[in-house]
Structures are given as C-alpha cells and as structure tokens.
Amino acid sequence: MAKILVVTSGKGGVGKTTTSAAIGTGLALRGHKTVIVDFDVGLRNLDLIMGCERRVVYDFVNVVNGEANLQQALIKDKRLENLYVLAASQTRDKDALTVEGVEKVLMALKEDFEFVVCDSPAGIEKGAHLAMYFADEAIVVTNPEVSSVRDSDRMLGLLASKSRRAEKGEEPIKEHLLLTRYNPQRVSDGEMLGVEDVKDILAVTLLGVIPESQAVLKASNSGVPVILDDQSDAGQAYSDAVDRLLGKTVEHRFLDVTKKGFFERLFGGR
Ligand SMILES: Nc1ncnc2c1ncn2[C@@H]1O[C@H](COP(=O)(O)OP(=O)(O)O)[C@@H](O)[C@H]1O
Ligand SMILES: [Mg+2]
C-alpha cells in the first residue's frame, strides 16, 4: 500500500526541502519506488537540491490543470532508478493548487509509487494545508529553538484536526519529529534547546537528529541530496532516520559534543 508522507513544519527555513530530498532519496536507495513532490508554488527549491532544475519542462500545476500528464511531468533522477521528482511551478500564483487537483494527482501517484514524499511550503496557510491534507504520515521538521518548537506544536495540532484522516475520523496521521540543524556545542552552552527538552514539549516520537553541518550547503550547491554523501555526519544521520522510518531500531548519533582528536585538530575534520 502506497504511503503519502508530508515533510512539514510551522516555520520556514528549518530544513524541510533538505529533508524531503534526503528522505526521498534514502527510501529509493533502499529499493522503494519514490516520488518527491514540491508543493512550494513560486519557489521551486526541490529541483535545485535534487540537481534536476534544467530538466523541468512541466510541473505540478500543469498536471493539475490538465496541460500535461504525469508521465510528461515526472522527472526521473539521474542517479537512482526508482526516484522521481514532481517540480513546483515557478510562475503561477499560489492559488493554482486546489484540494481536488491535489487529490487527483496524489491518488494517481499512489498507483505507481510506494512512497509519495510531499515537500511542504512554510507556514500554516493554504499551501501547507494542501501538502499535509492527504498524508498518512508526517515528518515535522523542527530546529532546537523555542519559536520553531512552538510552530511545530501548532502544526501537530493541525495534523490532528484538519487533515483528511482527521475529518473522516480515520486512524490519525502518524507523526515523527525530526530535529535538524542540531549543534551540540550550542546546546551545552545553553543557547539552544536539547533533544530531551524538545521531546518533552512536543511528545512525538523522535525520527532523527540531524546535526548542523557544512555538508548540507555543499550538497545543495552541487545538486546532490546530502544523504548520498555517506561520509558526512548529516548524511549518516539522515540515513539512520530513513531506517527508523522503515521500522528499524537505530541508536541516535551526533547528540553530544565530540572532543576532537589530535589529528582532527591538526588537519580539521567535519
Ligand atoms: N543540517 C543542516 N546543517 C546546516 N544547514 C542546513 C541544515 N539543514 C538545512 N540547512 C540550511 O538551511 C536553509 C533552509 O533549508 P531548507 O531545506 O530550504 O528549509 P525549508 O525547506 O524548511 O525552507 C538552507 O540554506 C539549508 O542549506
Ligand atoms: Mg522548502
């Protein structure tokens, strides 16, 4: 049975698109046919992070409007056999997506894919609502800051009350917390909330903790999802998160301040 997974948050700029690209790619790496759908009309970030921006001819809105069919709009990843991207429209207005239009496209994707990963726009407005409305599971991306945690809490409330599952009285959306841009040094200096603080406030199962990492910027600049950089801390943390999403028990890493060894101090490490 195909699963619709939304990557959402209250606040913008927390790492949703980075996460959508990494998780989607990780699922495909493990053999699951996956499509990542960009709901951020007007911004079109996902295709850049996936490195397929030059191949976008038709987008999500074109399919909703019947100007192209799914086969024409789906962009096949050049690295992985079973990974596809449906890009957001860059030029259309934000109202181009409707509940009916989104439903039509998502139900068609469910026929063909095991996982449909929806990259949500920021905020709690229409775009974010459409991205989460049909979800079976949600990854709530949160930074270890009070404002981000508060906005995530609001999003959890919406998932539990405004989704289709909620409206139909079905089993609720399965919620996962993903803490990103985690900096153990700043946590130990008291500048950021720690994992336990965030877990206590949100009371949602922790899918993963992604460290603040130079590797993320490097990866997005080169159009390679960071999970493919298996030498990087962020890539490894995303990899663990994908395993947990698929039901494996994996211990959390990168939570504590690492004392740099002599050679690392000498030559620099990441
Ligand atoms: N783990 C991380 N370490 C460092 N920078 C990160 C990390 N995750 C995301 N970023 C950066 O944060 C910014 C926002 O990320 P993005 O995924 O576009 O967020 P959103 O989709 O929520 O707006 C980008 O510049 C991205 O490179
Ligand atoms: Mg984004």
Side-chain angles (χ1 to χ4, degrees):
M1 186 51 187
K3 254 186 205 159
I4 300 183
L5 205 71
V6 64
V7 178
T8 187
S9 74
K11 229 175 133 201
V14 291
K16 288 182 296 295
T17 301
T18 303
T19 298
S20 302
I23 300 278
T25 302
L27 289 167
L29 270 176
R30 284 156 185 74
H32 301 286
K33 193 172 180 193
T34 301
V35 57
I36 316 174
V37 183
D38 191 349
F39 275 76
D40 211 343
V41 173
L43 271 180
R44 257 188 64 183
N45 254 330
L46 179 70
D47 49 331
L48 292 171
I49 291 186
M50 294 298 294
C52 64
E53 71 279 5
R54 285 188 302 275
R55 284 186 289 147
V56 178
V57 178
Y58 293 115
D59 58 54
F60 195 177
V61 172
N62 291 135
V63 180
V64 166
N65 290 343
E67 293 151 0
N69 61 40
L70 266 177
Q71 274 60 35
Q72 292 173 286
L74 285 172
I75 303 167
K76 191 175 179 313
D77 186 80
K78 52 192 176 220
R79 296 156 293 229
L80 296 178
E81 195 51 43
N82 43 14
L83 181 60
Y84 291 77
V85 168
L86 182 57
S89 158
Q90 208 163 27
T91 51
R92 307 297 182 101
D93 68 296
K94 298 233 179 236
D95 291 327
L97 295 179
T98 59
V99 176
E100 297 74 33
V102 168
E103 178 169 29
K104 191 182 73 179
V105 173
L106 290 184
M107 295 312 131
L109 288 174
K110 267 183 107 164
E111 298 280 304
D112 210 28
F113 289 89
E114 279 178 77
F115 287 96
V116 181
V117 177
C118 304
D119 180 18
S120 176
I124 48 173
E125 303 304 322
K126 190 177 165 206
H129 179 257
L130 285 173
M132 66 82 156
Y133 187 68
F134 296 99
D136 301 305
E137 298 193 21
I139 298 177
V140 180
V141 181
T142 308
N143 293 159
E145 296 161 359
V146 173
S147 62
S148 176
V149 173
R150 195 182 294 137
D151 290 346
S152 292
D153 208 19
R154 174 123 177 76
M155 182 46 74
L156 289 168
L158 293 175
L159 290 169
S161 59
K162 296 275 191 190
S163 62
R164 189 168 71 162
R165 280 176 174 270
E167 285 176 4
K168 289 197 155 181
E170 293 173 2
E171 199 182 316
I173 292 179
K174 189 169 174 193
E175 300 158 341
H176 309 271
L177 170 65
L178 188 76
L179 205 51
T180 60
R181 311 202 68 165
Y182 196 74
N183 184 332
Q185 185 61 56
R186 295 190 61 191
V187 173
S188 97
D189 292 345
E191 291 168 17
M192 277 186 164
L193 297 173
V195 176
E196 291 306 320
D197 302 325
V198 180
K199 269 173 71 181
D200 282 350
I201 303 170
L202 295 178
V204 175
T205 345
L206 186 64
L207 182 69
V209 179
I210 313 299
E212 172 78 23
S213 170
Q214 293 278 330
V216 171
L217 191 64
K218 198 180 118 211
S220 56
N221 282 341
S222 47
V224 180
V226 71
I227 198 166
L228 292 177
D229 180 359
D230 56 12
Q231 298 301 304
S232 69
D233 48 1
Q236 292 171 7
Y238 272 120
S239 207
D240 290 352
V242 173
D243 285 335
R244 289 188 201 103
L245 193 63
L246 293 171
K248 275 199 194 167
T249 306
V250 185
E251 227 181 291
H252 292 277
R253 298 190 263 177
F254 315 111
L255 304 188
D256 300 313
V257 181
T258 47
K259 301 230 175 2
K260 285 198 171 168
F262 175 71
F263 285 103
E264 257 186 295
R265 263 181 293 156
L266 207 58
F267 300 114
R270 35 176 178 181

